[in-house]
Amino acid sequence: MPRTILITDDDPSIRKVLSLGLGRLGYDIHVATNGQEAIDMLAAGSIQPDCVLLDIRMPVLSGREALPRIREQFPLTPVIMLTAYSDLSTGLEAMKNGAFDYLVKPSRMEHIAETVAKAIRYHDVVAEKFEMDKRNEEYRLSLEATMQSKTMELKETYERLKVANLQTVQALAETIEAKDQYTQGHCERVRSISVRLARELGLPREQFEPLEFAALLHDIGKIGIPERILNKVGPLDAEELEVIKMHPLIGAQILSSVEFFAPAINGVRHHHERWDGKGYPDGVSGEDIDPLARIITLADTFDAMAQSRPYRSALPMETVLAEIRAQSGRQFSPLVVKAFFDAEIYADYDSLAKS
Ligand SMILES: [Fe+2]
């Protein structure tokens, strides 16, 4: 698409020279005869110029008067002032007031073209940064809104029952999975595998309930991650990875709104920590990792490897088991890996996956 330039000058001969010269370079040229006409054209939205050329002396509305109004309403559009030699100081003053540059008339066409090209390049950089800031801000706002509504939902459920029971938490976990067909049943399987690991490990009775809640809700923070990233097929770029890595923190934040979930919070927060300290979000290692999270992380990884994902099919069970063994003391607590093999938790995985 050709780039658009709006030429604003009351002198028809200058409009003609500039239109021809820049038009020949492939620009889409529009003209206005004074500042007011230029502002009206911009406000009507019929053109979105990548650059505005603005004469300083014009009837109706001069360039000097039009500049601040254009800057205010279209801050991303670069404005190049056109000035007669005697107006040089006015040109400099205009730059102080936000003009991108100024051209002294008459200028060589080469010099004009160069200045226009520079302005458009600058515009592209500024516009891109603006778009990125806008996207980040939109994301931040939508994240806040989602978290608030999830928090309310949790609080309401809790208030109604005065106790959060397994069923309501299961229902909540299903709302997370609804976003992603590939993880259907995942939370429930992670819960079931975690409970069996906990039995083998001899986890104290009172920790079973928090374990089940944390296992079911371990990925609740994903409601705050944009779906385009969550369901992306193929590798994520660095920025997307950083966003994904926020989900344990978002999840912990949501659970912290209900007192009842307090014992489960770190189980969620730490479910991507690694025994060797190379995990996220806190980078804690070994015994500093929440004991519930040490169990959940193995159950989560095991189920993820044993199931199909958008980008790969399920791994053969021998490969999955070899990987879990290899990750003992690296990704996983050696004790939890031992419990996994002692209890032969993989043995009836197929029936678990189908149920
Ligand atoms: Fe996760």
Side-chain angles (χ1 to χ4, degrees), residues 23-51:
R24 221 174 270 143
L25 296 172
Y27 291 112
D28 180 20
I29 305 292
H30 296 259
V31 293
T33 59
N34 62 64
Q36 190 56 54
E37 209 180 303
I39 288 174
D40 290 345
M41 285 170 82
L42 291 170
S46 52
I47 56 162
Q48 285 166 336
D50 299 286
C51 176

Side-chain angles (χ1 to χ4, degrees), residues 218-219 222 247-248 271-272 280 300:
H218 68 278
D219 271 343
K222 283 194 176 167
H247 80 270
H271 81 276
H272 282 286
Y280 62 87
D300 183 24

Side-chain angles (χ1 to χ4, degrees), residues 30 44 70 131 160 163 207 210 213 300 309 311 319 355:
H30 296 259
I70 295 177
E131 270 305 310
R160 212 167 43 236
V163 58
Q207 288 193 31
F213 291 168
D300 183 24
R309 290 281 145 133
Y311 44 90
T319 313
S355 63

